[in-house]
């Protein structure tokens, strides 16, 4: 099956720093990628939809200047958490869909972000 | 926005028993999917059922969909300790893979 690789799996950073998370589709062209956030013992909340070559579409309440999304190629989307604060600590997970994915969506393994 | 809702949210059963969990949603859908998540890990896709389907099977999994009631159920038969996980339903309203996840069910299978 299709594989989506997400890195890093875990990151600890100091408050005020920026953190970049990568999401790669390894064996198909991901025309669309999605970014979700999950707080402990809660469900996944869609943050934004990323289309290759265009600006991301953010969900209501998600700050686009804080969560920068870049989808510069058909195999890579990045989420940068800028000026991270402890309340940004969460599990971030991406999913990808597109050509060769047979109409399905595939999830990365997630990134646990801890901001000190 | 969140759409799916599962009930109950926590289930503890003995190995070998069946586990049933439900999901309700509010708007029309193209398809509904069930996922499993082990603690702190990524999602594992279990099964997808389209809006024109009423029941689907995959191994020990059985999913039903009632579009008139806007609800779905996931049945895991002959549960195993390895089935211990959180289970989420997710709805795709337009068939564009933009998923709205439910709250999730924590299932604990006791050996």
């Amino acid at each position: 099956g299709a594989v989506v690789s997400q890195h890093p799996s875990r990151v600890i950073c100091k408050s005020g720093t920026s953190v970049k998370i990568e999401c790669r589709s390894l064996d198909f062209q991901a025309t669309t990628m999605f970014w979700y956030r999950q707080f402990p013992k809660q469900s996944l909340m869609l943050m934004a939809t990323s289309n290759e070559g265009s600006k991301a579409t953010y969900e209501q309440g998600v700050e686009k200047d804080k969560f920068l999304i870049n989808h510069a190629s058909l195999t890579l989307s990045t989420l940068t958490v800028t000026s991270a604060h402890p309340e940004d600590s969460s599990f971030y997970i991406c999913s990808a869909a597109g050509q060769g994915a047979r109409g399905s969506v595939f999830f990365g393994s997630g990134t646990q972000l801890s901001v000190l | 926005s969140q759409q799916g809702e599962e009930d109950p949210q926590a289930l503890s059963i003995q190995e070998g028993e069946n586990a049933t969990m439900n999901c309700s949603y509010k708007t029309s859908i193209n398809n509904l999917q069930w996922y499993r998540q082990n603690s702190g890990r990524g999602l594992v896709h279990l099964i997808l059922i389209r809006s024109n389907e009423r029941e689907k099977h995959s191994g020990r999994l059985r999913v039903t969909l009632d579009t008139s009631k806007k609800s779905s159920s996931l049945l895991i038969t002959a549960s195993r300790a390895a089935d211990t996980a959180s289970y989420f339903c997710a709805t795709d309203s337009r068939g564009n893979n933009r998923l709205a996840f439910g709250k999730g069910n924590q299932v604990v299978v006791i050996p």
Side-chain angles (χ1 to χ4, degrees), chain A residues 36 38 43-45 59 97, chain B residues 2 37 97-99 101-102:
Chain A
Y36 296 83
Q38 183 183 33
S43 188
L44 285 76
M45 296 295 295
E59 296 298 308
Chain B
Q2 279 306 105
Q37 183 183 38
N97 296 305
R98 180 180 177 275
L99 301 178
F101 281 83

Side-chain angles (χ1 to χ4, degrees), chain B:
Chain B
S1 58
Q2 279 306 105
Q3 176 162 238
E5 299 177 356
E6 291 90 37
D7 176 43
Q9 295 190 4
L11 183 64
S12 183
I13 58 174
Q14 294 289 330
E15 198 166 33
E17 294 181 340
N18 296 341
T20 300
M21 57 208 89
N22 299 305
C23 168
S24 61
Y25 56 92
K26 298 178 181 177
T27 64
S28 62
I29 61 171
N30 175 278
N31 66 77
L32 183 146
Q33 304 175 34
W34 284 91
Y35 289 85
R36 183 182 72 221
Q37 183 183 38
N38 292 90
S39 180
R41 307 286 293 274
L43 295 177
V44 174
H45 181 264
L46 296 178
I47 200 164
L48 180 153
I49 186 165
R50 302 192 185 282
S51 60
N52 62 351
E53 298 176 309
R54 292 297 168 260
E55 187 172 312
K56 206 163 184 180
H57 297 255
S58 177
R60 294 184 295 114
L61 305 179
R62 173 176 168 257
V63 168
T64 64
L65 178 65
D66 188 334
T67 53
S68 66
K69 296 181 179 179
K70 291 187 169 56
S71 67
S72 174
S73 68
L74 170 66
L75 168 67
I76 304 173
T77 61
S79 64
R80 305 167 181 168
D83 294 330
T84 294
S86 292
Y87 292 83
F88 295 90
C89 75
T91 54
D92 182 344
S93 296
R94 300 180 180 180
N96 60 1
N97 296 305
R98 180 180 177 275
L99 301 178
F101 281 83
K103 296 178 183 176
N105 286 266
Q106 175 64 50
V107 175
V108 176
V109 181
I110 303 169

